[in-house]
Amino acid sequence: MEIRRSELQQEMFVVLDTQIYIDLPDDTKSKNIDDLDIVLKIYKNNEDDHLVRIYYEIKAKKTYPDKPGLCIRVQASGDFRIDASIDVNSIQFGQLVNFSATAITYNNIRAYLQNITSYYPVDTYILPAIDLNDLCKKYYENQKEENQG
């Protein structure tokens, strides 16, 4: 069976910075904390408009009142090439960027964090599934506000 290749190909994934520390329980904590903050940025290459970079900065905190938890900050990005046959202004191009490339990069970070935190003497951290439609929508709304302001 011949398999057709996707119009989207990942060229690179890199973790730019990682900070992880163990948060020890103390008497002042009365509840579990499971916080997640995500910054997404999408960059188009000025010289090659079919090359796109997806950048994430993720801050996560999962702590407990009765056992150690983790505080995490990670910055990572992925570079993707979209086939030259696809018009950069097309819906298909936007979908490859907004849904496929953002999901692939997020899942790469997810796998990285799951792997690295498995070596810590606490529960392994797995990034939760997120609504990428909502994340991209908020990203573009924020971009629109910044461009108008």
Side-chain angles (χ1 to χ4, degrees):
M1 170 175 25
E2 188 174 327
I3 306 295
R4 193 179 116 201
R5 290 186 181 242
S6 171
E7 291 87 2
L8 177 76
Q9 294 296 319
Q10 184 173 356
E11 293 198 343
M12 179 187 68
F13 172 74
V14 62
V15 175
L16 302 164
D17 186 33
T18 305
Q19 298 171 7
I20 301 174
Y21 68 89
I22 296 173
D23 187 78
L24 297 173
D26 63 37
D27 295 337
T28 64
K29 294 179 186 169
S30 60
K31 62 181 181 173
N32 292 350
I33 296 173
D34 190 0
D35 289 336
L36 180 65
D37 182 49
I38 299 174
V39 173
L40 166 67
K41 294 187 180 177
I42 300 172
Y43 299 100
K44 292 184 180 171
N45 189 301
N46 291 334
E47 296 172 12
D48 182 349
D49 57 2
H50 282 78
L51 186 62
V52 177
R53 175 168 291 162
I54 306 298
Y55 167 88
Y56 281 98
E57 180 176 347
I58 298 174
K59 295 177 185 174
K61 184 173 186 173
K62 191 160 192 171
T63 62
Y64 310 92
D66 57 344
K67 64 180 184 176
L70 289 173
C71 295
I72 298 167
R73 180 179 167 272
V74 63
Q75 295 173 310
S77 69
D79 286 359
F80 296 85
R81 176 158 306 282
I82 298 172
D83 193 271
S85 66
I86 298 177
D87 182 359
V88 295
N89 297 313
S90 70
I91 291 172
Q92 184 182 12
F93 189 94
Q95 289 175 334
L96 288 169
V97 171
N98 296 334
F99 305 118
S100 299
T102 57
I104 291 167
T105 306
Y106 186 79
N107 283 329
N108 285 341
I109 297 168
R110 189 179 211 205
Y112 166 75
L113 286 176
Q114 185 174 355
N115 182 31
I116 198 166
T117 61
S118 70
Y119 296 100
Y120 282 70
V122 297
D123 292 342
T124 298
Y125 184 77
I126 300 173
L127 274 172
I130 60 171
D131 183 339
L132 284 172
N133 290 330
D134 185 55
L135 180 64
C136 287
K137 180 182 173 188
K138 288 177 180 172
Y139 168 75
Y140 286 111
E141 286 171 356
N142 189 35
Q143 290 299 302
K144 189 176 180 179
E145 287 176 13
E146 285 180 10
N147 290 338
Q148 290 177 347

